[in-house]
Amino acid sequence: MASIQTGLQRPGSSDSPFHIGELAIQTRAGTLAQSAITGRRGIRDHMPDQHREFFAQLPFMLVGSVDVNGQPWASVLVGQPGFMHSPDPKTLRIDAHALPGDVLGSNVRHGARLGLLGLEPTTRRRNRLNAAVTNVDAAGFTLGVTQSFGNCPQYIQGRQARFVEELGPLQVLDQPRLLDADRALIEAADTLFIASNAMLDPASPTSGADVSHRGGRPGFVRVEGGDTLVFPDFTGNSFYQTLGNLHLDPRAGILFIDFISGDLLQLCCSASVVWEGPELEAFVGAERLVRLKVERVRRLVNSMPLRWSNPSYWPLLERTGTWALADAALAAERLAANWRPYRIAEVIDESAGIRSFLLEPADGHGVPHYVPGQFLPVALPTETGILRRTYTLSAAPSGRQLRMSVKRQGAASSWLHEHGAGAVIDALGPRGSFTFDRMRTRPAVMLSAGVGITPMIAMLDGLLVNNERSRFPYPIHFIHGARSENEQAFAAFLATKQRHHKNLSVHLVHSQPEGGLPPDNLKRHVGRVTIGMLKTLLPFDDYDFYLCGPQGFLQHLYDGLRALHVPDAQIHLEDFGGDQPLRRQPDADAPLAQIELVDAADAVPVPVLFHRSGRSVTWRPEAGTLLELAESEGLAPLSGCRSGNCGTCATTLLAGRTGYLTTSGAPCPPGQILPCISVPLASIDGGAVVLDG
């Protein structure tokens, strides 16, 4: 097999544009290899001409500096366009001084390392510079460039700046805690600037202060407990200068600008990064959360002679969350085990047989968080009674709606297709284990057929964001089989994603093509998705495979991949209703199942209690599995494959012991079992097996 070139640089080596803190964060985020490639390409030791011209046309510049105690500060310099100019690619001259009351004045000294951010809100352009002060004089100061690089327009709000001729009396408010007016400014903000510092070898180009922009929907910064701030960190250029600096030194300087009054709010903070947890998961679009403990507050009133127009928000800002939506999602998660009403807000035709249904809560509660690839258990009030089914969610979380895409092929799906917008259905919280593992560093191959495309679409929607950024930097090969162009769902979506994301390659395979071309001339093939076809579409390298579709399709691909010596652990499956175990050839070195395998014929009668319904019954071997026992008692638990492969029936074991009749293909969270392949086992104390059902 071919090897994958990572392009990694040795930490601290002369050819690496990153210091040890940045490399540590890149490793934690899973972007080390990709960051090495883009860093070498994008970070220079000089300014390109377009950056030099760009800085010269700006009326302001953001600056990160460090005081004598090592505390970073975020500041802004102001001057008429032309106050910055570059006599050569390694030098930037700034003919301006710090604004009145700003500590930047004492931080700019010979040899000081500054971080600079040139920002043009009207065009959303921004370029960054790390430099050393080489001269300070009566007119300003001169900088020698150490690192120069551009940034994308993400999360920048469009604003027009104007100068004001008269300012009121200067006020410098310096206090240890936030005032009510400060909190009001923060909680309404859509932009902040954060300064940080890497205290390394002064001769290293990676050492010194940095300043960076963060943006979001108004209110994206939360004030907790009076003097703690929390804001989401969205996907960016994967350089992680700010987080890398904070990894080495948690001190940060924060700047909020009141764009109406011109007030500057400067905060000295101690920062920490939240990498996991329900609060992070609930905030749509957040990769991490940054928590800031405020230790000093400095507000400059009537110091800056600029005012700004009302904002024009970054176009894709709606794809990010808010704290209100996050709180509602957390509250909804606590209701995941309850049936809740959802109203079908909109119906969208995706193909000849597949429709998407956009669901909004009808009970006043929020939309639960989920992981792309998971499914939604629903209960439909049909004329013949309640029908319970599970349908995969086909979009990444938005915090406002759930989207499930359904092929018409039975009583339940027909009811949905016939009723449409306005109908109310019940649903439990999303669940399922067929999700994408972003921490793996192999290229991914997504293989689907028919309506099996739905979890793959949700995964792509969550991975490839903002029309240019990928949360998974490695190649993604998307291969889908359908009967014809007429039955091909989500072709336009796939064309858009492939157009904006270079790491995505889409192949549509039609068994009975009708002659039309897919959008943007996506690669199309005639036939079926088979192992033989895979061999012709991609070199057999080291991949993770994600498979979803009918049972025969999955079994063919699974057995074929195992025959090609693809490890079982690199094949991820979603079974849409098969009744035979798929994983027939587990790896010899795979870990043994944690749940005891038993023979039902050897079992003895055991009392079983279904906790939620209060139903109590004695299980005997002839009753079959615990799922079959529940159904014989008139209960209607969720189920899918009935063979331990899909995880739909997973339930909590509250007490007692159970065993599996066969190995499971779907993992279970701690404390849960799959009733479809489980039987109760006698305990020493003779107690009952208690299930949360």
Side-chain angles (χ1 to χ4, degrees):
M1 291 188 182
S3 63
I4 300 172
Q5 298 298 318
T6 63
L8 296 184
Q9 298 129 335
R10 179 170 48 85
S13 65
S14 59
D15 62 343
S16 174
F18 302 114
H19 60 61
I20 57 174
E22 293 161 338
L23 293 170
I25 297 298
Q26 292 165 13
T27 301
R28 177 66 176 81
T31 66
L32 185 64
Q34 185 65 23
S35 297
I37 296 170
T38 56
R40 283 203 313 270
R41 185 171 61 236
I43 299 177
R44 309 170 179 88
D45 63 358
H46 64 279
M47 293 178 288
D49 288 345
Q50 62 173 314
H51 289 199
R52 298 167 66 196
E53 296 166 1
F54 174 72
F55 292 141
Q57 69 190 29
L58 298 178
F60 68 97
M61 173 73 93
L62 283 307
V63 182
S65 66
V66 181
D67 66 20
V68 294
N69 296 314
Q71 170 64 49
W73 291 83
S75 305
V76 58
L77 286 170
V78 177
Q80 292 293 334
F83 83 98
M84 294 183 288
H85 65 278
S86 172
D88 61 72
K90 294 279 291 183
T91 305
L92 183 67
R93 172 65 189 182
I94 299 180
D95 291 321
H97 293 292
L99 293 174
D102 192 343
V103 297
L104 177 64
S106 58
N107 294 346
V108 174
R109 53 194 179 275
H110 189 276
R113 300 293 286 269
L114 305 181
L116 297 100
L117 169 63
L119 188 68
E120 190 173 59
T122 53
T123 62
R124 296 189 170 92
R125 288 183 64 192
R126 59 175 160 176
N127 292 303
R128 289 170 63 179
L129 193 69
N130 293 327
V133 177
T134 59
N135 181 63
V136 181
D137 54 44
F141 56 98
T142 305
L143 297 168
V145 175
T146 56
Q147 287 189 334
S148 172
F149 54 98
N151 271 170
C152 67
Q154 291 191 121
Y155 319 111
I156 296 176
Q157 326 306 351
R159 284 184 168 91
Q160 180 70 50
R162 63 181 176 85
F163 282 89
V164 292
E165 295 182 359
E166 295 186 8
L167 298 174
L170 173 68
Q171 297 181 60
V172 179
L173 307 177
D174 203 329
Q175 65 266 350
R177 300 179 63 85
L178 293 169
L179 303 178
D180 289 344
D182 303 328
R183 297 187 187 95
L185 173 60
I186 293 169
E187 292 180 328
D190 56 43
T191 301
L192 67 82
F193 302 96
I194 178 169
S196 55
N197 184 45
M199 301 180 66
L200 301 166
D201 178 2
S204 170
T206 62
S207 185
D210 179 78
V211 67
S212 183
H213 163 278
R214 294 293 188 272
R217 296 166 72 178
F220 80 109
V221 184
R222 165 176 271 177
V223 181
E224 294 182 344
D227 289 282
T228 298
L229 313 183
V230 186
F231 68 86
D233 191 47
F234 302 124
T235 183
N237 60 13
S238 299
F239 290 171
Y240 300 109
Q241 283 98 341
T242 296
L243 297 188
N245 287 351
L246 296 177
H247 181 75
L248 301 177
D249 184 342
R251 290 177 292 182
I254 306 297
L255 172 66
F256 290 94
I257 299 176
D258 188 324
F259 295 106
I260 297 175
S261 71
D263 283 8
L264 301 178
L265 183 64
Q266 296 176 305
L267 309 176
C268 296
C269 304
S270 177
S272 59
V273 180
V274 178
W275 288 93
E276 56 189 15
E279 186 181 32
L280 169 61
E281 294 172 357
F283 201 107
V284 174
E287 299 289 306
R288 295 152 293 273
L289 300 177
V290 178
R291 180 165 276 112
L292 302 163
K293 176 61 178 174
V294 178
E295 297 171 347
R296 182 179 175 185
V297 181
R298 191 173 175 89
R299 189 172 188 127
L300 307 182
V301 181
N302 295 324
S303 176
M304 184 176 64
L306 287 180
R307 303 293 182 269
W308 276 267
S309 63
N310 290 330
S312 169
Y313 293 116
W314 184 57
L316 297 179
L317 209 59
E318 285 296 313
R319 286 184 63 95
T320 64
T322 67
W323 286 109
L325 290 174
D327 289 342
L330 288 172
E333 295 238 357
R334 294 190 283 271
L335 302 173
N338 300 334
W339 289 100
R340 296 177 51 201
Y342 286 82
R343 181 172 292 102
I344 299 175
E346 186 179 356
V347 180
I348 301 171
D349 287 330
E350 305 291 1
S351 71
I354 297 175
R355 285 180 171 176
S356 288
F357 299 86
L358 304 185
L359 308 178
E360 296 178 348
D363 59 359
H365 294 290
V367 175
H369 172 74
Y370 61 93
V371 181
Q374 291 187 307
F375 57 81
L376 187 72
V378 300
L380 310 177
T382 70
E383 291 76 7
T384 59
I386 301 295
L387 293 180
R388 290 185 170 87
R389 298 290 188 272
T390 59
Y391 295 115
T392 301
L393 294 166
S394 59
S398 70
R400 294 174 291 277
Q401 292 179 320
L402 299 174
R403 186 179 80 180
M404 62 182 191
S405 299
V406 180
K407 181 179 180 180
R408 184 167 186 162
Q409 55 184 2
S413 58
S414 294
W415 186 93
L416 281 168
H417 278 243
E418 291 167 2
H419 282 73
V424 176
I425 66 174
D426 288 337
L428 295 173
R431 55 200 65 196
S433 59
F434 184 63
T435 58
F436 194 92
D437 186 352
R438 288 170 48 194
M439 296 310 294
R440 297 193 179 220
T441 58
R442 287 180 286 267
V445 180
M446 296 183 175
L447 299 166
S448 58
V451 75
I453 195 173
T454 53
M456 309 302 191
I457 292 297
M459 291 178 189
L460 282 187
D461 196 28
L463 292 172
L464 308 179
V465 298
N466 298 348
N467 287 345
E468 60 181 53
R469 294 295 183 190
S470 176
R471 290 173 166 169
F472 183 75
Y474 305 98
I476 301 174
H477 302 275
F478 190 101
I479 303 169
H480 175 72
R483 181 176 288 114
S484 65
E485 300 89 344
N486 192 43
E487 297 189 20
Q488 174 65 60
F490 301 106
F493 169 89
L494 291 168
T496 299
K497 290 297 184 185
Q498 182 173 258
R499 186 166 59 250
H500 290 293
H501 299 275
K502 296 180 180 179
N503 65 324
L504 174 65
S505 175
V506 178
H507 297 268
L508 303 181
V509 183
H510 297 154
S511 60
Q512 299 177 23
E514 298 170 347
L517 288 176
D520 284 13
N521 291 321
L522 291 175
K523 296 174 184 177
R524 191 186 67 178
H525 310 270
V526 177
R528 298 181 183 275
V529 180
T530 64
I531 287 294
M533 175 173 283
L534 288 186
K535 291 179 179 179
T536 67
L537 295 182
L538 49 126
F540 257 76
D541 207 329
D542 191 17
Y543 300 106
D544 275 299
F545 291 88
Y546 294 83
L547 282 61
C548 186
Q551 177 76 13
F553 168 85
L554 293 180
Q555 199 67 66
H556 166 78
L557 292 176
Y558 175 79
D559 290 343
L561 291 173
R562 295 293 287 121
L564 291 171
H565 307 294
V566 176
D568 186 78
Q570 290 174 217
I571 306 174
H572 314 274
L573 301 165
E574 178 74 309
D575 177 13
F576 274 7
D579 57 3
Q580 295 295 324
L582 286 165
R583 298 188 181 275
R584 297 172 178 169
Q585 306 171 56
D587 293 334
D589 58 350
L592 296 175
Q594 296 300 308
I595 297 181
E596 183 178 354
L597 291 178
V598 299
D599 186 340
D602 298 331
V604 298
V606 177
V608 176
L609 171 64
F610 296 98
H611 175 71
R612 200 173 308 165
S613 65
R615 196 72 56 86
S616 182
V617 63
T618 297
W619 177 90
R620 291 179 171 81
E622 58 268 22
T625 66
L626 283 167
L627 175 61
E628 293 169 325
L629 179 68
E631 291 173 335
S632 70
E633 290 298 309
L635 303 178
L638 288 169
S639 65
C641 67
R642 305 180 75 88
S643 59
N645 287 314
C646 72
T648 303
C649 66
T651 190
T652 301
L653 177 66
L654 298 176
R657 297 172 55 235
T658 63
Y660 278 176
L661 299 176
T662 184
T663 56
S664 65
C668 267
Q672 292 194 347
I673 64 165
L674 301 176
C676 69
I677 57 171
S678 296
V679 294
L681 300 176
S683 58
I684 296 177
D685 61 5
V689 168
V690 183
L691 300 178
D692 184 24

